[in-house]
Amino acid sequence: MSAPLPSALLERLRAIVGPRGCLEVEADQAPYLRDERDLYRGRAVAVVRPRTTAEVAAIVTACAEARVGIVPQGGNTGYVGGSVPGEDGTEVLVSLSRLNRIRDIDALNYTMTVEAGCVLAEVQRAAREAGRLFPLSLAAEGSCQIGGNLSTNAGGTAVLRYGNARDLVLGLEVVLPDGSVWDGLRRLRKDNTGYDLKQLLLGAEGTLGIITAAVLALHPLPSAVATALVAVPDPRAATRLLATLRSASGDQVTTFEYLQRRCLELVFAHIEGSADPLPRPYGHYVLAELSGGGEDGALAALLEEVLAEAFEAGLALDGVVAASREQRARLWGLRETVPEAQKRAGACLKHDISVPVSRVPELIERATGLVEAALPGARVVAFGHVGDGNVHFNLSQAHGSDPEPFLARGPDVARQIHDLAAELGGSFSAEHGVGRLKRPELERYRGGVEHDLLRAVKGAFDPLGIMNPGKVVDPPRR
Ligand code: FAD
Ligand code: ZN
């Protein structure tokens, strides 16, 4: 069959989604074509906004017949350039924003079925209203979408307790690269029937198909929460405090986030209304949260008791346990606004690395030394999900310096930091994925048999290579 011309394809797309669902003018398309970090600016044949799974399937069928690349996009908050098209303007961008119904909540089964375009905060809210918890939580939750979260296997601030996004999914509905629909929306906790296809799709960053809906696993809504910001002498003390807290609380630690002093200084400088809750500055902090049953008071007392022992043991220097929901929100604000504060502070290099929790202190120490040698004057802004061994080892340009030479050193510095993570048994991408940005790293650190297998999987789902081309891996040559 001969490929239809782009104009014929456009006509088909318009017919599927209606003229208002098909954006063809550059100004209308603009917000969809640049990524969150402003690393890439793409062009597209069209931006289409389907409302139903059937429309997504019809779009993909039309593109497959025309051999035209498809880029799925959720909230467009991803950090590795996966959600924007290439520069040549040959691809169709499929925005899932209008596919945003909550289809079902089964409180007895602790599940909900949602469409891909539901904003994460809306999913959390709907679960809460049904007396349940959907625990996935990250600073972009007001704009990222569940389809994007699942496609990136997002992590966030509750992984320690509840796992990554892939641990919160029981079933998926997916439009495959040939336009067929896989209805895998099963609500089962036990289902050993061959390869786990949904796990291949989760974290695939839109390269194997378009997730249109998912069955999410819910948890009991905790009745008690206790939150503290604790100053610690160093990252080593932070990891030891975490181990103690996990044992002492019967594993009720939901969040354990590390913050260097510089993170707080950036927040104080750039985020209105923020203030230091402790009377004097310290070099290192953790934001720790316990959650469980019973009342807030009892859990806060437990947290205070463990912290008192930690002060005696020299694992903690100072700290504040939130006395109200407002104070808790303020402590959380210090952690959640770090990415925004860093963005406002100028050019930034990000490294989303993970190692076994026990090796985090060595990672931070050696990476800091490496940056001091390679990029004198750069400001290390290290923070993140230390409870998961995941550090956002970010760098900000020196105050008032020229961003260009700083950014130009980015790839070389990233390579050194990723080599270090690999040496310590870690990963070059803990939670942000591969996208377009980290394809060379994938080849370097996951080469040989593993890379061949990844490509074989890609080829099995998408032999034509039309699903999010140029991201993660290419299919084997035919
Ligand atoms: P997008 O950016 O739109 O897309 C991401 C990838 O998924 C792309 O490859 C895209 O093609 C694909 N995709 C999107 N929707 C679909 C779909 N329905 N079907 C198939 N493929 C699809 N990430 C973390 O993991 N943890 C954090 O703590 C975290 N914190 C963040 C904080 C801030 C302030 C910001 C801006 C980002 C943060 N991120 C974090 C990164 C990002 O928000 C997450 O990766 C998020 O899960 C992406 O969701 P999205 O809807 O924006 O996806
Ligand atoms: Zn993170």
Side-chain angles (χ1 to χ4, degrees), residues 79 155-156 257 335 352 383-385 390 392 431-432:
Y79 275 152
E257 297 283 310
R335 164 62 185 89
D352 169 36
F383 65 98
H385 323 291
N390 176 194
H392 294 313
E431 58 175 11
H432 295 160

Side-chain angles (χ1 to χ4, degrees), residues 192-213:
N192 280 347
T193 50
Y195 305 129
D196 193 341
L197 295 177
K198 72 177 179 303
Q199 289 298 346
L200 289 175
L201 272 301
L202 296 166
E205 301 180 55
T207 61
L208 302 182
I210 301 184
I211 294 175
T212 47

Side-chain angles (χ1 to χ4, degrees), residues 259-298:
L259 294 157
Q260 258 180 355
R261 175 70 194 174
R262 185 167 282 124
C263 304
L264 294 193
E265 278 165 6
L266 287 177
V267 169
F268 301 149
H270 297 282
I271 306 294
E272 214 174 300
S274 59
D276 196 337
L278 297 177
R280 52 152 288 210
Y282 295 91
H284 311 266
Y285 302 83
V286 295
L287 178 75
E289 187 161 283
L290 305 181
S291 63
E295 290 183 1
D296 282 351

